Amino acid sequence: MNKINPIYILAFVVVVFLISISILNNKENEFKNLNKYVIDLNTKGKIFSEYKNNWFNKTAIINKVDRIIKNTAYKNEKILKTQTNSLVRIKFESNNTKLLNSFLNRVLNEKFLLKKIDIEKTSIYLEIGLI
């Protein structure tokens, strides 16, 4: 019977140890990459949730539109507002270009999904999406 040389056994153990360390390092790098991916995905999800709450909240959009329309600077001007399930239509008519400019700036500075803007010399027509 032949005996197994202890050096072969020691070399085998060392090789298995080196291979297991290499595999462990690869798995550790994969775990770190997946962890970074999950953290990035969570932050993107939070950002999307904030966007959804700000841009797609019907009641908040309607309240913002009403607040703009009921501004005291526009009380003597002709403002027509119609609302459907998916749109709010506003027609603002005035001969004062400063008021038209002010109204347009207020609307453009809010977080609205503007579907249509029609600007003429004496009027502004807007369609604001609610969905």
Side-chain angles (χ1 to χ4, degrees):
M1 293 235 239
N2 292 337
K3 284 187 167 184
I4 298 178
N5 196 342
I7 295 176
Y8 292 145
I9 294 174
L10 183 64
F12 177 73
V13 169
V14 168
V15 168
V16 168
F17 179 72
L18 292 175
I19 290 173
S20 64
I21 287 176
S22 173
I23 291 172
L24 181 66
N25 285 335
N26 289 338
K27 294 296 180 183
E28 185 179 0
N29 289 337
E30 284 180 27
F31 177 73
K32 286 179 182 178
N33 290 338
L34 285 175
N35 196 17
K36 287 179 186 177
Y37 176 74
V38 167
I39 290 170
D40 187 41
L41 192 62
N42 283 338
T43 56
K44 287 181 182 179
K46 289 178 184 177
I47 291 170
F48 178 75
S49 176
E50 289 176 16
Y51 281 141
K52 185 177 177 186
N53 288 337
N54 290 334
W55 290 81
F56 300 111
N57 189 352
K58 287 184 180 184
T59 57
I61 291 172
I62 292 169
N63 289 339
K64 287 178 188 177
V65 168
D66 289 339
R67 190 175 64 237
I68 291 172
I69 290 173
K70 291 178 182 176
N71 191 346
T72 57
Y74 313 128
K75 69 179 179 180
N76 295 332
E77 306 304 323
K78 184 176 179 184
I79 301 174
L80 299 172
K81 175 190 159 196
T82 58
Q83 180 179 342
T84 63
N85 288 335
S86 61
L87 286 175
V88 174
R89 293 182 181 100
I90 302 170
K91 186 167 185 179
F92 182 79
E93 293 181 1
S94 175
N95 290 327
N96 189 348
T97 57
K98 288 183 181 180
L99 283 177
L100 287 170
N101 191 23
S102 170
F103 180 77
L104 186 62
N105 283 336
R106 282 182 183 251
V107 170
L108 292 178
N109 284 328
E110 291 291 335
K111 294 178 181 177
F112 292 139
L113 295 173
L114 295 174
K115 301 286 185 173
K116 183 178 179 181
I117 299 177
D118 187 18
I119 301 172
E120 295 178 2
K121 197 171 192 178
T122 60
S123 67
I124 296 174
Y125 176 75
L126 300 167
E127 287 185 3
I128 298 171
L130 294 176
I131 294 178

